[in-house]
Amino acid sequence: YGAYSYLTADRHLGTFMMRFYPSVADTVPAIALCDELFTALVRDGVTEEEVAGAQRYLTHSHVFALETAEKELRERLGGRLQGRPDDWLETYTERLGALTADQVNAAIQAHLQPDHVLVTVVATADDIQGDLETWGRGGRPEVVDHRQV
């Protein structure tokens, strides 16, 4: 199935998201594990080696964000709407490569807050609500009928 995390940001707001697709029986343990990992990330930060790995990945994958005229236009328009400089795409990999673990960890500390998370579970409420209530982190789950969204 898979597990993913990503960060989106705009001029005023950013969202760090973790997604995964466990079975009903594994959902609460998976949520608890993600919570532990997220808390550890904020508490312990990242190493220079982890930053270097992320820099390599993002540098090598950056070309795919611009591989078609449509994608490049989307990136340029998004940058303009977010108030980024005109050369933002051209200088992206250079700026990315200049980041240090200390800078990344300062940003993590400034923007990620493990005590202020929203957990969303898409499932049949009767199948999982009891397990969610035993998680112990947060209040009573709110059930939202999919037909009302």
Side-chain angles (χ1 to χ4, degrees):
Y1 288 101
Y4 310 90
S5 67
Y6 49 92
L7 175 70
T8 60
D10 66 24
R11 196 182 292 201
H12 305 289
L13 178 69
T15 302
F16 179 71
M17 186 176 297
M18 296 182 280
R19 297 185 333 183
F20 47 92
Y21 309 94
S23 68
V24 170
D26 293 331
T27 298
V28 173
I31 291 170
L33 177 60
C34 279
D35 185 45
E36 290 172 27
L37 293 171
F38 182 58
T39 300
L41 170 68
V42 175
R43 180 188 64 236
D44 303 334
V46 294
T47 66
E48 289 287 350
E49 184 178 314
E50 290 168 324
V51 170
Q55 287 168 322
R56 279 190 304 276
Y57 171 78
L58 292 170
T59 297
H60 292 136
S61 64
H62 180 63
V63 66
F64 298 110
L66 310 172
E67 67 184 340
T68 66
E70 179 183 350
K71 287 182 176 182
E72 183 175 348
L73 177 62
R74 182 181 328 126
E75 291 295 321
R76 291 194 183 283
L77 182 58
R80 176 73 53 94
L81 292 172
Q82 293 174 21
R84 294 180 174 151
D86 289 341
D87 68 345
W88 188 82
L89 286 175
E90 289 75 19
T91 61
Y92 173 80
T93 57
E94 179 184 335
R95 287 179 290 106
L96 178 65
L99 287 173
T100 66
D102 287 341
Q103 290 171 307
V104 172
N105 287 326
I108 288 170
Q109 288 293 312
H111 300 289
L112 299 182
Q113 301 172 349
D115 291 332
H116 294 92
V117 298
L118 172 66
V119 176
T120 303
V121 177
V122 178
T124 302
D126 291 340
D127 292 346
I128 195 147
Q129 187 169 359
D131 290 340
L132 285 172
E133 290 173 355
T134 65
W135 175 34
R137 176 121 150 88
R140 182 170 169 73
E142 176 185 351
V143 176
V144 178
D145 188 311
H146 74 278
R147 293 168 293 211
Q148 296 175 3
V149 177

